[in-house]
Amino acid sequence: MICGILLLDKPLGLSSSGATQRVRRLLGLAKAGHVGSLDPLATGMLPICLGEATKLAGEVLEGAKTYSFRIALGVRTTTGDAEGQVVESLPVPALERSAVLAVLSRFLGDSLQVPPMYSALKRDGRPLYELARAGLTVERAARPIRIEVLELLDSSADWLDCRVVCGKGTYVRTLAEDIAAALGTCGHVARLRREAVQPFDPASMTTLARLEQDLAEGGAPRLITADAAVGHLPSVQLDEEGARRIALGQTLVFPPAELPDLGPDVGAAEADRIVRLYAPESVFLGLGAVGPGGRVRPKRLFVAGS
């Protein structure tokens, strides 16, 4: 039974869903899901959770992401990228490198960002992009985002190449438009590549062509183990009896000394007390939750044998 994470280097022109379905069919799997959509015009790391590893997709979504992107200055489009129709053209002022760096620095840290209409967010059960394609615009609430790094890689008179390390929920197309506006013009994303998703190593990415070749030669897909996606979470080692009881949905009680240090706010929030659960011989069982009094209950377990 296949269970793990494939780090696909998504090619240009293919949707994230399309790429995931191709991987699923190649491997003959019933369950596969991608983490963090990439637009068809974007390339780069698309984590695809396979089999039971789909249960960890929510944890992978929390990781920071690194993108390199080009802002084409002077032209704004309906979609915020090169796929859309031009809706505005403005002159591009002469830009000194120091002035560009000063503008980029203003976007660092925590802020609020209004999601674009061309996004997969839903309103009354319909993706916003469906409404946008129908010519509709609806109000969107600003959402908190965090920009950890925003650097200038290269530039010319009418474009900027940048790299950003950002938190969950950040739309690079919107960031590019906001940067262009702050520079006194407009702009859109001309190209976009996701270089990395924490905690995964970009060197572990594979292409569809390489996957097809590996399978044709009788090899196995190059997968990351499921628990590698949650390596940032503390772990709890169970004995055989504890593993059996957890698998039955029971709650265990541990002396505090036998639990990892979870910080002073254990139980204050679900995210603060999620742990990895292991059976003897380092068998990953899934995720548990630690509550007050050293109580450990199952949260998201894998099917035995996966």
Side-chain angles (χ1 to χ4, degrees):
M1 184 181 297
I2 293 179
C3 174
I5 299 171
L6 180 80
L7 300 180
L8 182 67
D9 189 346
K10 190 191 80 66
L12 187 69
L14 189 62
S15 71
S16 294
S17 295
T20 300
Q21 292 311 310
R22 285 185 60 175
V23 169
R24 185 184 64 79
R25 287 193 295 268
L26 283 170
L27 298 178
L29 292 175
K31 291 195 299 185
H34 64 270
V35 178
S37 294
L38 283 175
D39 297 331
L41 293 183
T43 64
M45 185 180 287
L46 182 69
I48 299 178
C49 298
L50 306 173
E52 288 291 287
T54 55
K55 295 178 178 178
L56 303 179
E59 295 297 323
V60 180
L61 274 173
E62 299 297 324
K65 300 171 181 63
T66 302
Y67 298 90
S68 57
F69 60 103
R70 171 166 289 186
I71 308 174
L73 298 171
V75 174
R76 184 168 64 88
T77 70
T78 52
T79 58
D81 59 24
E83 190 175 40
Q85 299 178 339
V86 175
V87 292
E88 183 180 19
S89 296
L90 292 174
V92 180
L95 299 173
E96 296 289 339
R97 180 179 177 83
S98 59
V100 174
L101 293 177
V103 165
L104 295 183
S105 68
R106 287 158 44 186
F107 289 88
L108 294 174
D110 297 313
S111 63
L112 295 175
Q113 185 186 72
V114 177
M117 276 299 301
Y118 279 87
S119 67
L121 296 177
K122 292 186 177 180
R123 173 66 61 87
D124 298 328
R126 294 183 64 188
L128 290 182
Y129 63 77
E130 287 188 1
L131 300 178
R133 288 170 182 166
L136 301 176
T137 300
V138 298
E139 186 175 349
R140 288 96 64 204
R143 306 194 307 174
I145 64 167
R146 179 169 180 80
I147 305 295
E148 298 179 9
V149 176
L150 183 56
E151 56 185 344
L152 180 65
L153 303 178
D154 199 1
S155 64
S156 78
D158 58 0
W159 54 260
L160 303 175
D161 282 347
C162 300
R163 176 178 288 116
V164 63
V165 180
C166 55
K168 175 184 177 181
T170 305
Y171 285 91
V172 178
R173 285 174 291 145
T174 299
L175 176 63
E177 290 180 329
D178 292 343
I179 290 171
L183 292 170
T185 183
C186 59
H188 67 273
V189 170
R191 65 186 184 206
L192 174 65
R193 179 169 179 79
R194 183 190 284 161
E195 298 180 347
V197 176
Q198 287 184 345
F200 304 120
D201 182 356
S204 298
M205 278 194 290
T206 190
T207 63
L208 283 171
R210 188 60 183 266
L211 175 62
E212 291 172 347
Q213 179 181 340
D214 288 343
L215 295 175
E217 295 174 352
R222 305 176 184 206
L223 302 184
I224 305 296
T225 60
D227 58 340
V230 289
H232 60 289
L233 298 175
S235 65
V236 172
Q237 181 66 51
L238 307 176
D239 58 20
E240 290 187 6
E241 176 62 15
R244 184 188 70 81
R245 290 177 58 191
I246 280 287
L248 293 174
Q250 298 178 12
T251 296
L252 308 178
V253 179
F254 283 77
E258 296 183 16
L259 289 174
D261 182 10
L262 302 176
D265 297 325
V266 173
E270 190 74 9
D272 292 334
R273 51 191 171 110
I274 299 175
V275 295
R276 291 172 287 144
L277 299 177
Y278 288 90
E281 300 184 10
S282 300
V283 176
F284 180 53
L285 299 177
L287 302 181
V290 178
R295 295 179 178 274
V296 178
R297 60 178 175 82
K299 178 177 174 63
R300 197 171 295 121
L301 299 182
F302 284 14
V303 173
S306 62

Short mmCIF file of all heavy atoms in Angstrom, two decimals, residues 113-115 121 123 138-144:
data_model
loop_
_atom_site.label_atom_id
_atom_site.label_comp_id
_atom_site.label_asym_id
_atom_site.label_seq_id
_atom_site.Cartn_x
_atom_site.Cartn_y
_atom_site.Cartn_z
N GLN A 113 -4.06 41.08 3.76
CA GLN A 113 -4.10 41.02 2.30
C GLN A 113 -5.50 40.61 1.85
O GLN A 113 -6.08 39.67 2.39
CB GLN A 113 -3.07 40.02 1.76
CG GLN A 113 -2.97 39.98 0.25
CD GLN A 113 -2.04 38.86 -0.23
OE1 GLN A 113 -2.38 37.69 -0.15
NE2 GLN A 113 -0.86 39.24 -0.72
N VAL A 114 -6.04 41.33 0.87
CA VAL A 114 -7.34 40.97 0.30
C VAL A 114 -7.13 39.93 -0.80
O VAL A 114 -6.40 40.19 -1.76
CB VAL A 114 -8.06 42.21 -0.27
CG1 VAL A 114 -9.38 41.80 -0.93
CG2 VAL A 114 -8.31 43.23 0.82
N PRO A 115 -7.69 38.74 -0.68
CA PRO A 115 -7.51 37.71 -1.71
C PRO A 115 -8.04 38.17 -3.06
O PRO A 115 -9.01 38.93 -3.13
CB PRO A 115 -8.32 36.52 -1.18
CG PRO A 115 -8.50 36.79 0.27
CD PRO A 115 -8.55 38.28 0.41
N LEU A 121 -10.82 30.31 -3.27
CA LEU A 121 -11.67 30.56 -2.11
C LEU A 121 -13.13 30.53 -2.54
O LEU A 121 -13.46 30.91 -3.66
CB LEU A 121 -11.34 31.92 -1.49
CG LEU A 121 -9.93 32.07 -0.91
CD1 LEU A 121 -9.74 33.49 -0.42
CD2 LEU A 121 -9.73 31.08 0.22
N ARG A 123 -17.35 31.28 -2.08
CA ARG A 123 -18.42 32.13 -1.58
C ARG A 123 -19.74 31.40 -1.88
O ARG A 123 -20.05 31.15 -3.05
CB ARG A 123 -18.38 33.50 -2.27
CG ARG A 123 -19.56 34.41 -1.97
CD ARG A 123 -19.59 34.83 -0.50
NE ARG A 123 -18.39 35.57 -0.13
CZ ARG A 123 -18.25 36.89 -0.27
NH1 ARG A 123 -19.24 37.60 -0.78
NH2 ARG A 123 -17.14 37.49 0.10
N VAL A 138 -17.17 40.24 -5.83
CA VAL A 138 -17.78 40.26 -4.51
C VAL A 138 -16.75 40.75 -3.50
O VAL A 138 -15.54 40.67 -3.72
CB VAL A 138 -18.29 38.85 -4.11
CG1 VAL A 138 -19.37 38.38 -5.06
CG2 VAL A 138 -17.14 37.85 -4.06
N GLU A 139 -17.25 41.26 -2.40
CA GLU A 139 -16.36 41.76 -1.36
C GLU A 139 -15.64 40.59 -0.69
O GLU A 139 -16.24 39.56 -0.39
CB GLU A 139 -17.16 42.55 -0.33
CG GLU A 139 -16.29 43.24 0.72
CD GLU A 139 -17.12 44.11 1.65
OE1 GLU A 139 -18.32 44.34 1.35
OE2 GLU A 139 -16.57 44.56 2.67
N ARG A 140 -14.33 40.76 -0.47
CA ARG A 140 -13.54 39.73 0.20
C ARG A 140 -12.90 40.33 1.44
O ARG A 140 -12.34 41.44 1.38
CB ARG A 140 -12.42 39.20 -0.69
CG ARG A 140 -12.89 38.32 -1.84
CD ARG A 140 -13.03 39.09 -3.12
NE ARG A 140 -11.76 39.61 -3.59
CZ ARG A 140 -11.65 40.66 -4.40
NH1 ARG A 140 -12.73 41.32 -4.80
NH2 ARG A 140 -10.46 41.08 -4.80
N ALA A 141 -12.99 39.63 2.52
CA ALA A 141 -12.39 40.10 3.77
C ALA A 141 -10.88 39.96 3.71
O ALA A 141 -10.35 38.96 3.19
CB ALA A 141 -12.94 39.31 4.96
N ALA A 142 -10.16 40.96 4.21
CA ALA A 142 -8.70 40.88 4.27
C ALA A 142 -8.30 39.79 5.26
O ALA A 142 -8.96 39.58 6.28
CB ALA A 142 -8.13 42.23 4.70
N ARG A 143 -7.22 39.08 4.92
CA ARG A 143 -6.76 37.99 5.76
C ARG A 143 -5.33 38.26 6.22
O ARG A 143 -4.54 38.85 5.48
CB ARG A 143 -6.83 36.66 5.01
CG ARG A 143 -8.19 36.37 4.42
CD ARG A 143 -8.33 34.93 3.97
NE ARG A 143 -7.25 34.53 3.06
CZ ARG A 143 -7.08 33.29 2.62
NH1 ARG A 143 -7.90 32.34 3.02
NH2 ARG A 143 -6.10 32.98 1.80
N PRO A 144 -4.98 37.82 7.42
CA PRO A 144 -3.62 38.04 7.90
C PRO A 144 -2.62 37.18 7.14
O PRO A 144 -2.86 36.00 6.88
CB PRO A 144 -3.69 37.64 9.38
CG PRO A 144 -4.85 36.70 9.46
CD PRO A 144 -5.84 37.16 8.43
#
